Amino acid sequence: MKVLSPAVTILQTIHNKPYVAKAIESVIAQTRNDWELIVLDSGLWQGKEDEISFTMSDDYDNYSNHPQIDWIITGERPRLHDRKCPISWVTNEAIRAGLVRGRYFCTFYDDDHYEPQFIEKMAGYLDAHPECDAVRCSQKRTFIKDGVLGETPPLMATDFISGENFDCVVDGGQVMMRSTVIEKIGDPWLPEDKDWNICSHSDGIFFNKLGKVIDKMHFIEDILMTNHKTPESTYSPTEAE
């Protein structure tokens, strides 16, 4: 580990995506600097000679030696999605391995984008509110379809929420939480079922579990991150696999 005492651990799951550098740059550009980024890379680009694999190789070369980034090749076998939900499995394995060292943590994906004040405002809120176990911000939502960039209405955070009703209400990238909730929820944290109807909203199922162990999720109304949907969905099947 390169950072001695990070306040925030960010787990970023990536898989053969052309937008990884932009996502990582949005972390590096944060106005608060006591973070560590754990890049959990499937590594299936290694040894291949297609355009995305070349891009991924460049990204690895450019960022793996950054003092606040640990780039881990997770080494899962090709077509893991035939047996498990890959994002859930990788996230769970990272938690099991003790990679979450910050007092706060959040999850981040290979095409998400943080606004520069995401960590400053989210971690700052948790610093100022010791009674708060989890806080969410508002989220901008964009997509690419037929090569055209579009936008859907933002997912706004405008009130406290509680209970087991977070699924399809809160997106994984919106939330920062205290690492102590990991112990309260218990392994497995995210569902590893390969069924796509479960896997596709595993973050929501995780937040339902979170709702059982916290009083309520707090909110910051500011839009502090963007969820960017693309044709190259994380861990989607490809002919190369």
Side-chain angles (χ1 to χ4, degrees), residues 12-127:
Q12 182 187 26
T13 308
I14 68 172
H15 173 75
N16 291 13
K17 206 69 163 284
Y19 312 100
V20 170
K22 184 177 180 181
I24 292 176
E25 285 292 339
S26 78
V27 178
I28 294 173
Q30 291 298 297
T31 55
R32 177 167 170 170
N33 202 40
D34 52 350
W35 52 265
E36 64 174 354
L37 176 64
I38 311 297
V39 180
L40 304 168
D41 178 7
S42 66
L44 296 181
W45 51 269
Q46 293 182 311
K48 298 180 181 177
E49 297 187 354
D50 57 89
E51 184 175 351
I52 289 182
S53 294
F54 287 137
T55 299
M56 290 296 302
S57 179
D58 287 343
D59 292 342
Y60 177 81
D61 291 342
N62 289 336
Y63 297 109
S64 61
N65 290 318
H66 189 284
Q68 290 172 265
I69 297 174
D70 274 325
W71 191 303
I72 298 171
I73 304 296
T74 56
E76 63 261 28
R77 297 175 183 174
R79 304 200 68 83
L80 174 66
H81 48 69
D82 286 346
R83 291 169 283 119
K84 290 182 179 291
C85 177
I87 293 178
S88 295
W89 179 81
V90 168
T91 302
N92 287 342
E93 286 295 294
I95 296 173
R96 290 166 187 150
L99 298 183
V100 177
R101 301 185 307 125
R103 63 182 181 273
Y104 311 137
F105 91 103
C106 47
T107 56
F108 189 55
Y109 303 103
D110 43 18
D111 50 10
D112 285 345
H113 181 270
Y114 284 154
E115 294 300 317
Q117 289 186 308
F118 175 84
I119 292 176
E120 179 181 347
K121 290 191 174 183
M122 298 286 277
Y125 188 95
L126 292 171
D127 288 341

Side-chain angles (χ1 to χ4, degrees), residues 134-149:
V135 61
R136 80 192 196 280
C137 64
S138 296
Q139 178 191 82
K140 183 177 180 180
R141 311 187 106 180
T142 61
F143 64 91
I144 292 177
K145 185 175 182 180
D146 298 326
V148 178
L149 178 65

Side-chain angles (χ1 to χ4, degrees), residues 73 129 186 205-206 228:
I73 304 296
H129 297 82
I205 296 173
F206 167 77
H228 184 53

